[in-house]
Amino acid sequence: MADSDQYLTYDDDCCLGQVAPSTELGDFIVYPSNDMKRVDLHPGKVNIVYFMCKFEKGAYNCNEEMSVITDEMKDTVQVVALSTDPDRGTVEKFLDKSRKGEITDLNTGKALRLTMDVAWDDGKKTFSMYRNICNGVLTTYHAFIIDKAGKICWHQQFAQTCPPSKTNFAEQVKKAVAGEPLLSNGDRPKRDPADVEEEDAECDDLALF
């Protein structure tokens, strides 16, 4: 389970149950094993769509952990990693350094691997489609689990302090593959209007300084 409510996914999330947008616009830097330059969601199979970027340096540990998940589930799950960086060259250099062990943890110096096939999301076109079905709120690093029917059954925001291992993401993927009900966090807690007004007042006060 995530270590903060900030990273929880709730059952009434607006994107859950929606048909997942295509990933075929992604321009692969390292071509998948089938040598296709464009890879769309695999029908009848569980897919993971993973948004990442070079510029979020503190979250490189998420790439390491997602690589582990990918390696463990490569026979049952298709993973499409999409970089939202502004140009293809940046992504190519980042991937090259990752494969040489030159991308390291900022705190420990440990090399952080990235073994997934990665596509460049030119102009964030795919990212924008997913953001639209999330009511305009989406950040990297972020992953979506797409069920065998092509619908989003879970999504998870990641951060340096909340990598996949601090969430139930891997377990949710395994349940999706097995066709089992996913773990539930319930609906998003209702907020007391009085609390919202108090927070707004505090923001107004801070704005004076």
Side-chain angles (χ1 to χ4, degrees):
M1 193 65 66
D3 59 355
S4 169
D5 289 351
Q6 174 185 356
Y7 302 110
L8 286 179
T9 298
Y10 293 100
D11 294 356
D12 57 353
D13 192 296
C14 62
C15 75
L16 298 183
Q18 294 204 42
V19 175
S22 168
T23 60
E24 65 181 352
L25 294 178
D27 183 7
F28 274 89
I29 307 300
V30 179
Y31 296 156
S33 57
N34 57 10
D35 203 30
M36 292 175 62
K37 297 183 180 181
R38 308 286 179 178
V39 174
D40 204 349
L41 300 175
H42 194 300
K45 193 171 188 176
V46 171
N47 292 260
I48 295 175
V49 177
Y50 176 58
F51 291 104
M52 50 161 283
C53 63
K54 171 189 178 294
F55 289 106
E56 194 67 34
K57 294 184 177 179
Y60 288 170
N61 57 327
C62 297
N63 290 336
E64 166 80 21
E65 294 193 11
M66 282 296 292
S67 292
V68 172
I69 292 174
T70 300
D71 291 345
E72 290 178 349
M73 303 183 182
K74 60 184 177 182
D75 293 332
T76 56
V77 175
Q78 173 178 273
V79 179
V80 180
L82 295 161
S83 170
T84 60
D85 289 297
D87 62 89
R88 182 186 174 92
T90 296
V91 186
E92 289 176 333
K93 291 178 181 177
F94 178 67
L95 293 178
D96 184 56
K97 286 185 175 181
S98 295
R99 282 153 176 73
K100 291 178 179 178
E102 297 174 0
I103 300 299
T104 58
D105 186 285
L106 296 177
N107 298 315
T108 66
K110 173 189 173 185
L112 298 174
R113 67 194 184 110
L114 175 57
T115 62
M116 296 169 285
D117 293 315
V118 177
W120 174 44
D121 188 15
D122 185 7
K124 296 185 178 181
K125 296 182 181 69
T126 305
F127 180 82
S128 295
M129 289 190 287
Y130 278 82
R131 182 173 57 195
N132 286 341
I133 62 175
C134 291
N135 278 349
V137 180
L138 184 61
T139 60
T140 53
Y141 284 50
H142 214 111
F144 291 80
I145 303 174
I146 318 301
D147 66 20
K148 296 175 183 178
K151 295 184 178 181
I152 297 171
C153 61
W154 195 255
H155 73 103
Q156 181 67 58
Q157 179 184 348
F158 301 123
Q160 180 181 19
T161 58
C162 187
S165 61
K166 291 289 186 70
T167 74
N168 56 19
F169 184 78
E171 188 172 358
Q172 296 290 59
V173 175
K174 291 176 182 176
K175 286 185 174 294
V177 170
E180 300 174 355
L182 272 60
L183 300 174
S184 170
N185 291 322
D187 290 346
R188 183 176 297 277
K190 302 299 181 183
R191 301 185 65 188
D192 188 329
D195 293 337
V196 176
E197 291 178 4
E198 184 176 341
E199 289 179 8
D200 290 342
E202 290 176 356
C203 291
D204 290 340
D205 290 340
L206 289 172
L208 297 176
F209 295 95

